[in-house]
Amino acid sequence: MLEHVTGMSATIGGAGARLAAAPAKPAGGAALDQILIASGAAAALTAALLVLGWGHRSGRITVLARAADLATRGPGRGTPGWAALPIPVAMVSLMVALLGMYWDISLHISHGRDEGPLANIAHYPILVGLFGIFTAGVLAVVLPRGERPGAASLRITRDWHAPAGGVLLAGCGFYALLGFPLDDVWHRIFGQDVTLWGPTHLMLIGGAGLSLVAMMVLEREGRRACGDTGQPPGWLRYARRCMHAGGLLIGLSVFQAEYDFGVPQFRLVHQPLLIALAAGCALVAARLWAGRGGAVFAVLFYMVVRGGVSVLVGGVIGELWAAVPLYFAEALCVEIAALVLARRPLALGAVSGVLIGTAGFGAEYAYGQVAFRLPWTPDIVAEGMAMAVAERCRGRRVRGAAGRGAARQVVAAGGGARAVRGGDPRGGGGGRQRPGRLGPAGPHGHRHPHRRPRRRRAPHRRGPRRVLPADAVDGPAWVTVTGWQGQGLHVDRLVKVREGVYRTSGPMPLHGEWKTLVRVHDGRTLAGVPVYLPDDPAIGAKELPAPPRFTRDLQGERTILQRELKTDVPGWLWAACSAVVLLCTLALVLSLGWGVARIARRLPDRPGPAAGRDGERAGAGA
């Protein structure tokens, strides 16, 4: 059984009138006029890019040649123009897209759906950034004139060869941009999937993040094309490689964004797994490619950029703050392992993975107790460490009502209400009733669970509210009351008083456009009880109020958090569309793997002064 602990008013005066006056938020695809505007703008930009490239190839337009020559005198020293210009363009574009992505995620968490793709200001930096990545790849392809850019280049026409890194970079940008129209199609078919891990959302993130691999390939091609006499200073080459590896760490860390904001829709144990994967891939590559200290400097670059984005979104723009995993302990683990194994890349990767999954896990666990909105809990230690090391582990058995979802859950939302016990999923009989009491409305329609009108006799006589039966969960990862998409985010981790008894630490919203629910994560089960849901005409959903007394079932929380999803779509259609996205993703990953293998085979790296005796050896294998 479940007694309401949040204590709020379900309605406030004038809320209905304000909601009626608010602009409609479509739950399917975008309006036709916005599709036409976006398509027209994309076509115009693409046409301008093609004209610029054709003009450069024909010699009629010299602006690209001048820009490339200027880039070779700056940070791109030691690389030809076809690498010196596209790489900084791609890096700046990635930072712009990263800002837009975290801004957009914050807006959707706090405000819900938008009125359309062009009505969301955060979409513009995303589009500009992703188109910039695509533009950088195109520049690398069209800039070489009258030369073959290295032994690994690709032949396009009889006298036109393009660097492999440029082709891969353009492919990453195109793949990410393709996610936008496919995302609209996805919403039209399946409704809004309000999660970062939607298939088309992963295309946007994956294309941007993996573009760093293409940039690394392009940097190698450009440096080798200059020969031994035209090499850049050792410190500059070292800095560029650390920045590239740090950028890869940033790209791989975006997949954790739901955890950064504190509203994950997936098991908590996946967070340490994602952190370990990002650290294992990016930091080992940094150490192998850049040399001594490469992993630490990559993390420093990551902290500057990723931390700066959090400050801009949360501090300057005024949206939600996102936590920033540290990765410093993981970098030290890699550096320590490399002291012995730098010349054995595979062994270094394996040992670093074990250290990251143990010592790194422990450091992030301690840091997360202060930094994460949902800190890691002891129940994930064994499985989380095993997953971080082996990337998979069988989960423990879920016990009680939360695991089976069979017990009726009672939420008492008014003073003096009494919660009636439902059937025990293990065959138990009835039980005693237990009272619940809530306080008067506070500012903005919030109500505190322990505030009540003053009485002369025992104003705080009643104890904490019974939230869950004692056998419902076994060391849960979280028991929270979460309110979101009501112009803010409120996550209240319930405080355990004794077995089965929890209390809130503050008031929670039950009005307006807020969506409020009790969330229980135990073992492999993610369950919830809706407390208040607003009226949503776009999906035909009526308001789910919080009256003085009501009884509701514990259910899978996805049906509450993603109530915009359509439930009448055939399963085979979902599988077919997901397979299309999977095939596109596999094509991108295999292409990047082919590009790295081509570079390793045709342009094997040589030890240099920047990396020392143990550095750069794995530049081809990293």
Side-chain angles (χ1 to χ4, degrees):
M1 62 192 149
L2 182 67
E3 290 186 16
H4 186 20
V5 296
T6 55
M8 288 78 48
S9 162
T11 58
I12 58 176
R18 286 195 297 274
L19 290 175
K25 296 182 177 181
L32 182 60
D33 59 336
Q34 297 204 16
I35 293 178
L36 293 176
I37 294 173
S39 300
L45 289 174
T46 303
L49 184 61
L50 291 176
V51 168
L52 194 62
W54 171 83
H56 173 77
R57 298 294 305 175
S58 63
R60 291 180 171 86
I61 299 177
T62 61
V63 62
L64 291 184
R66 295 198 302 269
D69 182 65
L70 183 63
T72 59
R73 304 173 188 174
R77 281 182 294 170
T79 55
W82 47 263
L85 178 61
I87 288 177
V89 169
M91 286 293 288
V92 172
S93 299
L94 274 171
M95 295 180 188
V96 173
L98 181 72
L99 172 63
M101 286 180 183
Y102 271 88
W103 189 1
D104 183 55
I105 295 169
S106 175
L107 285 174
H108 284 299
I109 290 174
S110 60
H111 294 70
R113 304 192 307 267
D114 47 51
E115 289 76 25
L118 301 182
N120 185 339
I121 188 174
H123 284 178
Y124 293 94
I126 297 177
L127 286 169
V128 170
L130 296 183
F131 191 82
I133 297 171
F134 175 70
T135 299
V138 173
L139 292 178
V141 170
V142 302
L143 275 173
R145 278 185 63 208
E147 63 173 314
R148 182 179 179 183
S153 60
L154 305 176
R155 179 176 178 178
I156 298 178
T157 64
R158 182 174 58 84
D159 58 350
W160 180 8
H161 292 78
V167 175
L168 294 174
L169 187 58
C172 289
F174 177 78
Y175 172 83
L177 285 171
L178 185 62
F180 263 97
L182 289 183
D183 189 53
D184 185 76
V185 173
W186 194 276
H187 292 334
R188 291 180 184 275
I189 298 175
F190 303 109
Q192 293 273 3
D193 48 348
V194 190
T195 172
L196 180 70
W197 288 6
T200 50
H201 302 159
L202 295 179
M203 291 183 65
L204 299 169
I205 299 171
L210 293 178
S211 66
L212 268 302
V213 178
M215 293 167 59
M216 293 176 177
V217 171
L218 184 60
E219 193 274 345
R220 167 70 67 78
E221 289 183 283
R223 188 173 59 81
R224 291 299 302 274
C226 288
D228 295 334
T229 58
Q231 292 300 303
W235 67 267
L236 180 58
R237 179 174 56 186
Y238 182 81
R240 286 199 306 232
R241 292 189 167 189
C242 291
M243 290 171 62
H244 288 163
L248 180 60
L249 180 62
I250 294 170
L252 296 177
S253 296
V254 176
F255 295 99
Q256 310 158 20
E258 286 191 3
Y259 296 94
D260 296 341
F261 284 101
V263 286
Q265 299 185 40
F266 304 89
R267 298 178 60 208
L268 185 61
V269 74
H270 291 154
Q271 187 180 12
L273 170 64
L274 291 173
I275 291 176
L277 284 174
C281 292
L283 299 183
V284 173
R287 180 58 180 82
L288 290 171
W289 197 36
R292 294 188 181 99
V296 175
F297 279 96
V299 173
L300 288 174
F301 179 78
Y302 155 86
M303 288 299 298
V304 170
V305 176
R306 178 63 184 79
V309 168
S310 288
V311 171
L312 285 175
V313 174
V316 178
I317 299 175
E319 294 298 333
L320 301 178
W321 284 85
V324 183
L326 280 183
Y327 288 110
F328 278 112
E330 291 87 332
L332 291 176
C333 290
V334 174
E335 293 290 345
I336 292 172
L339 293 176
V340 179
L341 301 172
R343 293 181 175 274
R344 300 174 58 189
L346 293 180
L348 175 61
V351 173
S352 297
V354 173
L355 294 176
I356 288 171
T358 52
F361 176 90
E364 294 290 346
Y365 187 102
Y367 166 73
Q369 302 305 307
V370 178
F372 296 161
R373 194 183 294 267
L374 292 176
W376 297 353
T377 50
D379 77 302
I380 73 163
V381 170
E383 188 178 7
M385 191 173 295
M387 290 182 70
V389 173
E391 300 184 10
R392 68 176 183 175
C393 182
R394 182 180 178 183
R396 63 180 177 79
R397 180 181 178 88
V398 182
R399 294 163 41 185
R404 295 173 174 82
R408 296 179 66 196
Q409 306 303 316
V410 181
V411 179
R418 300 178 69 83
V420 182
R421 188 176 189 274
D424 190 322
R426 293 180 294 183
R432 291 191 308 160
Q433 297 177 344
R434 189 173 182 88
R437 182 179 293 275
L438 301 174
H444 309 296
H446 291 48
R447 297 179 68 185
H448 194 282
H450 298 301
R451 293 176 185 165
R452 298 184 298 175
R454 290 184 171 234
R455 297 181 182 179
R456 292 177 179 243
R457 297 181 180 178
H460 301 289
R461 181 184 305 169
R462 298 185 186 272
R465 281 50 171 173
R466 176 171 290 278
V467 180
L468 295 168
D471 59 355
V473 293
D474 177 24
W478 66 64
V479 180
T480 68
V481 178
T482 298
W484 71 333
Q485 299 184 356
Q487 311 299 314
L489 172 66
H490 195 126
V491 177
D492 185 9
R493 285 183 287 133
L494 303 187
V495 180
K496 183 176 181 180
V497 178
R498 58 182 181 272
E499 285 300 324
V501 181
Y502 294 77
R503 62 177 175 82
T504 57
S505 58
M508 286 294 294
L510 284 180
H511 66 278
E513 296 187 2
W514 285 93
K515 299 174 183 176
T516 305
L517 69 156
V518 176
R519 303 182 66 193
V520 180
H521 171 17
D522 183 39
R524 293 183 178 272
T525 298
L526 295 169
V529 176
V531 178
Y532 172 80
L533 298 174
D535 183 69
D536 196 340
I539 60 175
K542 299 296 183 182
E543 176 186 319
L544 184 67
R549 298 184 181 184
F550 58 93
T551 300
R552 288 171 190 156
D553 292 333
L554 190 70
Q555 57 189 273
E557 66 172 19
R558 185 186 181 197
T559 60
I560 310 170
L561 296 173
Q562 298 188 41
R563 68 193 300 231
E564 295 93 341
L565 282 177
K566 297 179 181 179
T567 58
D568 57 348
V569 180
W572 66 264
L573 184 57
W574 172 273
C577 293
S578 298
V580 171
V581 175
L582 177 61
L583 290 176
C584 294
T585 304
L586 288 177
L588 176 67
V589 173
L590 291 176
S591 298
L592 291 171
W594 166 84
V596 172
R598 183 181 179 88
I599 292 296
R601 183 174 62 254
R602 300 199 177 193
L603 298 175
D605 214 336
R606 300 184 297 270
R613 289 182 303 173
D614 63 341
E616 281 200 344
R617 175 177 176 80

